[in-house]
Amino acid sequence: METFWDDVDRHLIRYGGTFTREIIDSASGSFLFTEDGRRVLDFTSGQMSGILGHSHPRVVETVRRQIANLDHLFSGMLSRPVVDLARRLAETLPPSLSKVQLLTTGAESNEAALRMAKLVTGKHEVVAFARSWHGMTAAAAAATYSAGRKGYGPAAPGNFAIPAPSAGDWQAQLDLAFDLVDAQSVGSLAACIVEPILSSGGILEPPPGYFAALQRKCRERGMLLILDEAQTGLCRTGTWYAFERDGVVPDILTLSKTLGAGLPLAAVVTSAEIEAEAHARNYLFFTTHVSDPLVAAVGNTVLDVLIEERLDERAAKLGAVLRNGLTDIASRHPLVTDVRGRGLLVGLEIADESLSAPITQKCLDLGLHMNIVQMPGMGGVFRIAPPLTATEEELALGVSILDEAIGSF
Ligand SMILES: Cc1ncc(COP(=O)(O)O)c(C=O)c1O
């Protein structure tokens, strides 16, 4: 134990926030198990990814089978798991979203989407929400405003922030935002990249009608609309994709976290027209792990489980149960100022940001891992995203621990 933390101090680069002071030994379903024998309910699904819980037997079986049979390939070679997953993903989406590239991480999928949008439009300017998170690589980070902008030199020229939508007259806010974008633009607007529900921004759900209006703004300017469903895709919000609520179909969709359900798999999905234009212009996004069979096989298993167990409906049902529990906490604790979100992606806002860390620690002591947006500059919002396979008893346990933790302050 002592040497473990000494080694951490001596040998690990600190990459953001603080390390949770537990040695995690194993995980199964909705629980983590620490080396000293404690059981911790994982209400963040790892890093918001493990929608089937930890070590789902079907995923374990697929990894065992696939790694023994075909693990990794030259990036220009194809295998059945990759082509099957591309076809099956397209089948879950509106007909125009038919072309798929399989990658590894969320940032990488956004990097590829932005690269494609720039190539196809022949332009380079990118609009994103002021509380966005799209990843840590260059173009994704240039479109990320909720953290990490300072100290790394110039972001890509031509990146503009618009306000994350708020209640009230959002249309007037959007009109004003694009007046400012137009004023600053050098006439090269390529794309707008947004999350359907801003997660790192504090679980902000844009009002109905917002995305249709945003898409009109894009169309008027010849910009492509990129939706980043890293956290919202694959059933978590109660529908297969969060954009289904809004009646819009993006020009490019990016998927990551939930697609591999904890393994590193991401996808860029677009129309045949955009893909053809990109190809005609020699689109290049050639990476070591593009079209890798091992994780593609896992993606197929994730789709199997989501479809067979109707986890979209389950997320909606469990989401309502969770919401009830959290609303009940909010009604009894004045510290809680809001409960919001959709399906099993929920935010609980507390009034006093300085209590975020102590409440998180208290939860951990009581056996619940929660993610408070802890990094400086972010708000006091707990992000709650249990696996879609969680039981109602596990949700009730998490809610009761949170209740006790909040009640102790
Ligand atoms: C909406 C969204 N997009 C992209 C990313 C980046 O994904 P990754 O960390 O896999 O690069 C994240 C990560 O938190 C995210 O929440």
Side-chain angles (χ1 to χ4, degrees):
M1 185 79 168
E2 282 305 296
T3 39
F4 180 92
W5 293 110
D6 287 347
D7 284 346
V8 169
D9 289 342
R10 264 188 219 112
H11 299 298
L12 290 197
I13 292 174
R14 289 159 285 183
Y15 45 76
T18 49
F19 294 117
T20 303
R21 205 81 188 167
E22 293 282 353
I23 305 177
I24 309 301
D25 183 53
S26 64
S28 174
S30 303
F31 289 97
L32 309 171
F33 298 92
T34 67
E35 211 177 67
D36 55 11
R38 288 190 340 110
R39 187 180 81 152
V40 178
L41 191 55
D42 184 0
F43 256 29
T44 61
S45 300
Q47 188 58 38
M48 312 297 273
S49 301
I51 50 172
L52 304 185
H54 292 277
S55 301
H56 189 285
R58 301 271 297 270
V59 174
V60 172
E61 208 276 313
T62 297
V63 172
R64 281 212 175 103
R65 177 176 37 81
Q66 188 64 39
I67 201 158
N69 187 54
L70 179 61
D71 50 1
H72 160 78
L73 286 173
F74 172 72
S75 299
M77 285 181 179
L78 292 174
S79 58
R80 288 207 177 269
V82 167
V83 179
D84 285 347
L85 181 56
R87 187 194 66 252
R88 295 183 64 198
L89 268 180
E91 285 167 5
T92 68
L93 286 160
S96 66
L97 292 172
S98 59
K99 288 280 202 165
V100 178
Q101 179 179 13
L102 297 182
L103 293 162
T104 310
T105 66
E108 196 191 24
S109 63
N110 289 329
E111 205 73 25
L114 288 164
R115 214 167 145 87
M116 186 181 282
K118 289 172 188 174
L119 186 67
V120 163
T121 59
K123 300 188 281 185
H124 73 274
E125 291 171 326
V126 175
V127 172
F129 287 139
R131 297 177 73 172
S132 59
W133 185 294
H134 297 294
M136 295 285 93
T137 58
T144 291
Y145 294 95
S146 66
R149 277 192 93 80
K150 310 255 182 311
Y152 304 100
N159 273 78
F160 305 118
I162 59 173
S166 52
D169 191 349
W170 55 263
Q171 182 69 57
Q173 188 195 46
L174 186 64
D175 289 343
L176 178 59
F178 271 85
D179 285 349
L180 290 172
V181 167
D182 289 338
Q184 295 168 85
S185 169
V186 296
S188 190
L189 291 166
C192 184
I193 182 167
V194 287
E195 298 157 74
I197 298 173
L198 287 84
S199 177
S200 306
I203 313 290
L204 303 176
E205 192 179 18
Y210 184 91
F211 285 108
L214 181 65
Q215 189 161 48
R216 280 195 294 280
K217 296 286 185 202
C218 290
R219 295 262 186 277
E220 285 161 13
R221 291 161 180 80
M223 303 167 74
L224 300 186
L225 177 64
I226 303 171
L227 283 187
D228 175 353
E229 294 232 19
Q231 297 203 14
T232 52
L234 287 302
C235 301
R236 176 175 270 152
T237 68
T239 52
W240 270 77
Y241 301 96
F243 71 73
E244 290 172 31
R245 184 204 70 170
D246 299 284
V248 298
V249 178
D251 299 296
I252 307 179
L253 171 71
T254 59
L255 304 172
S256 51
K257 295 179 184 283
T258 54
L259 181 58
L263 275 87
L265 174 64
V268 181
V269 191
T270 192
S271 64
E273 292 73 28
I274 291 173
E275 191 276 342
E277 188 59 33
H279 178 68
R281 295 177 184 226
N282 296 322
Y283 172 67
L284 179 70
F285 202 88
F286 196 83
T287 71
T288 304
H289 293 293
V290 68
S291 299
D292 249 356
L294 174 60
V295 282
V298 170
N300 279 303
T301 299
V302 171
L303 292 191
D304 288 341
V305 177
L306 291 175
I307 292 165
E308 286 166 30
E309 298 184 12
R310 295 175 180 268
L311 292 186
D312 51 341
E313 291 167 19
R314 188 175 168 81
K317 183 167 161 264
L318 290 181
V321 171
L322 178 62
R323 201 51 187 259
N324 277 344
L326 297 177
T327 310
D328 175 53
I329 292 180
S331 71
R332 286 179 290 101
H333 299 288
L335 183 61
V336 178
T337 43
D338 196 19
V339 176
R340 54 179 179 259
R342 209 188 302 167
L344 282 177
L345 180 61
V346 180
L348 181 130
E349 189 177 285
I350 56 168
D352 184 350
E353 267 187 56
S354 70
L355 289 179
S356 330
I359 293 174
T360 309
Q361 185 57 48
K362 182 76 184 172
C363 284
L364 192 61
D365 295 344
L366 295 170
L368 171 68
H369 179 255
M370 295 265 296
N371 175 253
I372 182 79
V373 183
Q374 261 177 338
M375 285 181 260
M378 291 181 165
V381 180
F382 287 103
R383 290 193 294 168
I384 306 173
L388 315 191
T389 49
T391 62
E392 292 197 25
E393 292 69 37
E394 287 165 352
L395 293 186
L397 174 64
V399 166
S400 75
I401 292 178
L402 185 60
D403 193 2
E404 185 180 341
I406 292 177
S408 65
F409 289 92

